[in-house]
Amino acid sequence: MWLSFWRSRDRFSLEELRYLTEQLQKVQIVNEFNKDFVIEALRSIAELLTYGDQHDSAFFEFFMEKQVMGDFVRILKVSRTVTVSLQLLQTMSIMIQNLKNERAIYYMFSNEHINYLITYSFDFRNEELLSYYISFLRAISGKLNKNTISLLLKTQNEEIVSFPLYSEAIRFAFHEENMVRIAVRALTLNVYHVGDDSVNRYITSDPYAEYFSNFVSFFCKQCIDLDRLVSHTNKNPSPDSTSTILAAVDEIEDNLYYFSDIVSAGIPDVGRLITDHILQLLIFPLLLPSLRIDTVNEREIGAVTCLYLLCCILRIVKIKDLANTIAAALFCPPEAYVSNFQAKLNGYMPAHVFTYDYKQSDNNVSGMEDGHLRVTVSDMATSSQVFPEDVITQNDCSVSHFALREALLSYVTSGDDVQASGSLSVLATLLQTKELDESMLDALGILPQRKQHKKLLLQALVGEGSGEEQLFSSESTTGRDSIELDGYLQKLKEKYGVLCSFPEVVMSPRLHRNQVLDALVSLFCRSNISAETLWDGGWLLRQLLPYSETEFNSHHLKLLKDSYKNCTSSILEEIRGIWPDLIITVLCNEWKKCKRVIEASSPRRDPKCLLLPLQNSSSDDILPGESSFIAGERMCELVKVFILLLQLQIFSLGRVLPDRPPICLPSDVPENSHAKIAGMDISGPKPGTELKYVDAVPCRIAFERGKERYFRFLPISVGTSGWLVLAEELPLKQQCGIIRVVAPLAGSNPTIDEKHSRWLHLRIRPSTLPFTDSAKATACSKVKAKALVDGRWTLAFRDEESCKSALSMILEEMNLQSVELERRLRPLLDLERALNSPHPPEASSPCTTSSNSS
């Protein structure tokens, strides 16, 4: 029989299919001797049926007539080798995926053969077999619709009593292999999106409804594992830390998108189940108690991870009830949830309905049991002085009378940089969550002014309430808004057992909006916050106050002005620092970026940035001998902060932000300057070009050990740029030379050697910073891990007087460079006077300086 199998026949013919079928029907047992024939026959039949589906319907007619599906099941029963099971599953998957004829699919799904294969007891200890089995199930789910799904169901009294495809698939929903989990999620989504009412009732009935609680519990464990990974990385960073965290974050977000896809199927009971489980297993017991500055216990997660997760849930899971319940929960203090969580440290986990041997971690999160917690908020928030200075600077959200929304603001006013950034991300995410009612945003104090005006205008047009009077008033709350918020607070009490009691005045949107504004202004006054975080705060402020409003009071303006003046003093120090020649370039580039950021429709940073390890080599105190790269990072950071405060100043004065910073045009080069005498133009010296070195000082320098070279040394400044020039004499041209070496003047830190008074030491920094050049930005991210080392020159002069003369020339040119830079930046350093001047300064065009090339 096996020899005749290989005889010559037309491969794609009905005769070939008939022959294979007849030979397969003769097989009574499958063992090591005939398994190869059986495997090849199964593979060939799948190939022929796929061909016939596209070219000749007689192929599948024959397949049905001979009831070959029954032979497939019989072969599986008599097989003693796993390879045949593998091939059979693959054959079925190929056939189901490739058959386009609807009648063929109906036949495949009928006669219970498919259900028999689904429920067959395969040995899943073989990982390859499990992979083929899951692919087989997924292939079936891809052909489901309202007609075909009924062929896979068992019903009794018009109710489904068995759905093997679904019940067997969810056994592997939490398998250790990620590809298996992904396939199961795809299968379940195919089931949910069929839209069959009886199937929907089946999946939301016991015990299958517990799949959703189990999945949320599984997700909770992933959240705890992510927090541990972030915590470990912060303590023990490694080269792979970022990629490891990003991989964990991707899986977290994939699962949230899975929740979102489930909800999009439009099954009301499923949406309710997911909402309840996310709230009761994750939000209430795990995330909300973590919004505290004080030390968390081992059952809680870090505040930063919590802030990231809240952002992701609000941004990805599009459930209106979930979003509004989370927002309402922010009006309760964390103790409301801490008490409830700590009362059940052992937790409650629903029984797992899957039977696969998946071991759940001991870190299961608890659910919410019946019972009520009464929460009373102190009257201190009713004071007319919202967030007084002692509260701004010493706010501690671990105090019980602070609601969670005030805890978020306390991170802005007193948390570290990452906590402040995380809190701003949550506020920005809430503001942009379309599922959140505007009344909830108003109560939180973050409803954008443009939406407030739109709402009040509509109310005035329809003659509702006092909208017309409130349209130009800072108080925008209405009775309807209060009713909507009260409804969600009542739901917290009745459904979830959290009772929040507040004095009526605490619900004033104006009060809460002032608190948010106070917190943001306090943020801009902090010196230990990164420019990136401050820019995020600038974006939020711009959303809340697109135009100058009465809420932005004189106290806010004074604080901003004081912070601006402090930053101006730091800029003046940088003007005489290591990188003055790049300040205007950085300022112009960052001005455009900052303007785009705060005027954008959405925040630019992804919340996942909160979790990544910091890579900042900046130092608060730059010593003369330290790397100029570190000083450059600090200069760029300072300029970015300065720009934000500048733009906030312009904004607060009711002016339109210009596209370019208002700086003065470059001045002409004085006739008596070294640059003019040497024949330089504004482009600066270039190696290989001629130079008149009237004032140059002869010197020697060795760029290689034992190889001294003789040069003429001349420091030159042109506008805000400056160079150290080494030129070789031209024998045929008196007082002329060829430029051989050029280095930046700024940051050279000239010092005469203590033991050799004829030696002058110079620090030679790079001509540019890699992170200010977009072409080098990628390379810079790799270089930042290493400390860049500055160059060193030691010039030897013929006598002490020549050495002192060279030093004096360097200091003089550096001073000219700084004076010109300060002149050009004067409109920014005294912005209010410049804006009130009848003749405001022109912005230089282009907004660049000549480069220093070495």
Side-chain angles (χ1 to χ4, degrees), residues 22-72:
E22 291 174 353
Q23 296 301 318
L24 201 61
Q25 289 173 343
K26 295 177 183 180
V27 175
Q28 300 302 315
I29 189 170
V30 181
N31 51 34
E32 292 295 325
F33 298 102
N34 63 355
K35 68 175 184 179
D36 292 337
F37 161 74
V38 174
I39 290 172
E40 181 60 24
L42 291 172
R43 188 196 63 78
S44 298
I45 289 174
E47 190 175 30
L48 286 168
L49 288 178
T50 302
Y51 171 83
D53 186 66
Q54 301 174 11
H55 299 90
D56 188 352
S57 60
F59 282 74
F60 203 82
E61 294 287 346
F62 177 83
F63 182 82
M64 291 189 294
E65 178 186 345
K66 297 300 181 178
Q67 297 185 2
V68 182
M69 278 291 293
D71 288 319
F72 284 178

Side-chain angles (χ1 to χ4, degrees), residues 41-194:
L42 291 172
R43 188 196 63 78
S44 298
I45 289 174
E47 190 175 30
L48 286 168
L49 288 178
T50 302
Y51 171 83
D53 186 66
Q54 301 174 11
H55 299 90
D56 188 352
S57 60
F59 282 74
F60 203 82
E61 294 287 346
F62 177 83
F63 182 82
M64 291 189 294
E65 178 186 345
K66 297 300 181 178
Q67 297 185 2
V68 182
M69 278 291 293
D71 288 319
F72 284 178
V73 171
R74 183 181 60 82
I75 289 295
L76 181 62
K77 292 178 179 179
V78 301
S79 174
R80 297 180 179 178
T81 61
V82 70
T83 53
V84 173
S85 299
L86 287 171
Q87 184 58 55
L88 179 61
L89 289 173
Q90 186 182 47
T91 295
M92 294 301 301
S93 298
I94 292 172
M95 290 170 57
I96 293 171
Q97 286 174 345
N98 291 283
L99 291 177
K100 307 300 181 185
N101 187 290
E102 192 171 347
R103 183 184 174 203
I105 296 297
Y106 286 164
Y107 174 77
M108 295 286 290
F109 285 6
S110 62
N111 301 321
E112 286 295 311
H113 294 313
I114 290 292
N115 278 343
Y116 179 84
L117 294 176
I118 291 173
T119 57
Y120 186 79
S121 299
F122 293 102
D123 183 5
F124 292 128
R125 291 174 297 181
N126 185 309
E127 294 182 1
E128 188 179 10
L129 184 61
L130 175 61
S131 177
Y132 277 72
Y133 176 75
I134 294 297
S135 297
F136 167 60
L137 298 186
R138 185 171 182 176
I140 297 171
S141 71
K143 298 295 183 179
L144 293 181
N145 55 44
K146 288 190 176 182
N147 295 320
T148 58
I149 198 170
S150 61
L151 302 174
L152 302 174
L153 305 172
K154 292 183 179 180
T155 60
Q156 184 176 340
N157 297 327
E158 298 184 354
E159 290 296 327
I160 299 174
V161 294
S162 176
F163 186 12
L165 176 65
Y166 183 79
S167 60
E168 293 298 316
I170 62 176
R171 290 175 52 203
F172 303 96
F174 312 103
H175 191 272
E176 59 186 8
E177 177 58 47
N178 188 44
M179 295 306 296
V180 173
R181 298 199 300 270
I182 291 174
V184 172
R185 291 202 294 264
L187 183 152
T188 56
L189 288 176
N190 288 336
V191 171
Y192 302 150
H193 281 271
V194 168

Side-chain angles (χ1 to χ4, degrees), residues 820-835:
E820 170 64 8
L821 178 59
E822 187 172 346
R823 183 195 69 80
R824 293 192 63 187
L825 295 181
R826 192 172 298 137
L828 301 181
L829 302 177
D830 192 2
L831 183 64
E832 189 170 359
R833 180 184 299 177
L835 291 176

Side-chain angles (χ1 to χ4, degrees), residues 700-744:
R700 291 173 293 128
I701 184 172
F703 291 112
E704 298 179 52
R705 184 181 294 275
K707 294 183 180 180
E708 281 192 342
R709 298 176 64 183
Y710 291 84
F711 292 104
R712 292 276 185 164
F713 172 73
L714 183 65
I716 297 173
S717 67
V718 177
T720 60
S721 299
W723 304 269
L724 302 173
V725 178
L726 295 178
E728 286 184 340
E729 296 183 17
L730 282 175
L732 301 180
K733 282 191 178 182
Q734 198 172 16
Q735 296 294 314
C736 287
I738 296 292
I739 298 174
R740 295 303 182 193
V741 184
V742 179

Side-chain angles (χ1 to χ4, degrees), residues 28 47 110 134-135 139 182 258 321-322 329 391 498 513 551 598 606 628 716 745 768 774 786:
Q28 300 302 315
E47 190 175 30
S110 62
I134 294 297
S135 297
I182 291 174
Y258 174 58
D321 195 42
L322 176 64
V391 176
V498 178
R513 188 161 57 252
E551 287 92 341
I598 66 176
D606 193 302
S628 62
I716 297 173
L745 170 67
T768 61
S774 58
K786 299 181 179 179

Side-chain angles (χ1 to χ4, degrees), residues 292 294 333-340 373 397-402:
R292 299 180 300 168
D294 58 331
E335 283 69 24
Y337 311 101
V338 170
S339 302
N340 190 66
L373 297 173
C397 60
S398 65
V399 181
S400 62
H401 54 243
F402 280 126

